[in-house]
Amino acid sequence: MKCKRCRGKAVVQVRQHNAAFCRGCFVFFFQRQVQRAIERERMFTLDDAVLVAVSGGKDSLALWDVLIELGYRTAGVHLALGIGGYSRRSTEKTEAFACRRGVRLISVRLDEEDAAIPTLSAFTNRPACAACGTSKRHHLDRVAFEQGFSVLATGHNLDDEAARLLGNVLHWQVQHLAKQQPVLASTHERFARKVKPLFRLSEYEAAVYAFVRGIDYIIEECPNSVGATQLVYKDVLNRLEAVMPGTKLAFVNDFLRTGRAAFATDGAGLPQTCAGCGMPTFASLCSYCSLLREVESKRARFVVPAAGTAQ
Amino acid sequence: MKCKRCRGKAVVQVRQHNAAFCRGCFVFFFQRQVQRAIERERMFTLDDAVLVAVSGGKDSLALWDVLIELGYRTAGVHLALGIGGYSRRSTEKTEAFACRRGVRLISVRLDEEDAAIPTLSAFTNRPACAACGTSKRHHLDRVAFEQGFSVLATGHNLDDEAARLLGNVLHWQVQHLAKQQPVLASTHERFARKVKPLFRLSEYEAAVYAFVRGIDYIIEECPNSVGATQLVYKDVLNRLEAVMPGTKLAFVNDFLRTGRAAFATDGAGLPQTCAGCGMPTFASLCSYCSLLREVESKRARFVVPAAGTAQ
């Protein structure tokens, strides 16, 4: 098997693009794919201050690595979610990456703020993943606004987008379908533009890129993700991909090109301002402030002021 | 496990409805589901002459059986497709069913008309399933028109509809999505209304119904269907259904309730009349007449008038 670009010995096969590459040319291919996505979808330019949400996993670190290599103005933001050893190891990998590259990393320690995911989940009876999603969205938006970033980039890859699309389609969530796109324009002064530069690159490609570039990322999955619906969708899409290579890419591409227009409406209108934290919301209180209020009220009810046991 | 209806011993479990039934109550349940679909979707009434397309498989024979039991005015139409022993056995099962029930069956022998599927496929280089689809649509429409039926009913079940929907969604075939519904109104004087009364009943339910009712149907699949994309989609949907029972039903129901509206447009307009056969078409010649023309021209080119061998 020969490298499509330099005709040397290929070591990476990219079935969905019907191509194979040597190590160096794969890095070139991957970076060029990211650059094209940024330019074609008008995600941002070299002048924009881009905040990259980094979890410590392969996708977000690969994304940050590419953006640094391409010369974009970036800083990373990492949320220490307080999910035991998994979160500790994620934070270590992220900090080591930033340190080695000499780039700015903003760390938010939710565990020290007493807003760790297990706490939020336990006090509100919500599934950990629901509490985590709400918390992540809030803090990423907040940091981008407070630190003056106009763009928030996440490492969502093709597999993530295809799985999300399949979930939205299986339940015909038309409002979610209307909003599923690689660039979400800012609809409030406190919302940065949200972009997904890896949306056409698969999980496999991101993993190969991280490996070839020597990025030390956290391989283990979040312990809360076991049995997650998203993983079932990914499994099913992988089965389709195995029989019909290119299915995932066509599914997402054709949606953006043809399908999405059918759902694009003015939607829920513009967001207002949360009475709690000042961030955008469609209710009087944003989801995160509602979550925190619930935690506070449960705490007040269950924790006895003097030394004693919870009822 | 107790029967949901009579509290007797249940022998059939219907997971997507979270119910179980004894034999008698399952038959009642199945027939009532069909009746509700017919009435709620306004498919037809007791006054309509309904032509039922019967292949000899479980779905179409189960449908015909239910319609007879519910007192509708029906006749069957069967196409002998000429796909070797498979077609011969399908025809035998269908004729035996009609004979035993004492109902009218219209048989169309495509193999004797020299329009057997293997011939059409070989002379036009089209996949057998493509030629078969075109041929079936043409002859079913033709027979319904010539014999004065206002309604054409087919045995498409929930699995068929969900698989078709998944295929249309994976490629965002918006024109096909606009037309995917259990009732297709007549858009031409030679088009009967097309209805799918089993669209909310699964393949499993249809098989159980056929078994319980003692219907002798052809179990083997068409030899051309091996490796068909539709079967890959069904497999994938079955995997989702196993993890999340009710997925298929929700997928199809929510599409009809919420999703489809997004695609419903005036579409391709009204059909014209085919210059070849007089049936409706969106081109000057309908797909079937185009197919036959292609066969004729290939025959003229390749078959030497005198005794000889094809080039």
Side-chain angles (χ1 to χ4, degrees), chain B residues 149-172:
Chain B
F149 290 88
S150 57
V151 180
L152 175 63
T154 54
H156 293 98
N157 59 39
L158 176 63
D159 293 62
D160 298 322
E161 292 304 291
R164 191 177 159 201
L165 186 55
L166 182 61
N168 283 338
V169 148
L170 283 174
H171 300 96
W172 293 98

Side-chain angles (χ1 to χ4, degrees), chain B residues 234-256:
Chain B
K234 284 190 177 180
D235 174 58
V236 151
L237 287 162
N238 283 336
R239 287 172 194 275
L240 287 172
E241 186 76 23
V243 183
M244 299 171 271
T247 297
K248 282 184 241 181
L249 191 58
F251 182 37
V252 171
N253 267 347
D254 292 349
F255 169 71
L256 295 172

Side-chain angles (χ1 to χ4, degrees), chain B residues 13-19 29 33 158-159 200-202 205 241 245-250:
Chain B
Q13 197 180 3
V14 188
R15 279 186 80 195
Q16 72 183 16
H17 288 107
N18 199 19
F29 159 80
Q33 290 284 107
L158 176 63
D159 293 62
R200 280 207 187 95
L201 288 154
S202 71
E205 288 166 312
E241 186 76 23
T247 297
K248 282 184 241 181
L249 191 58

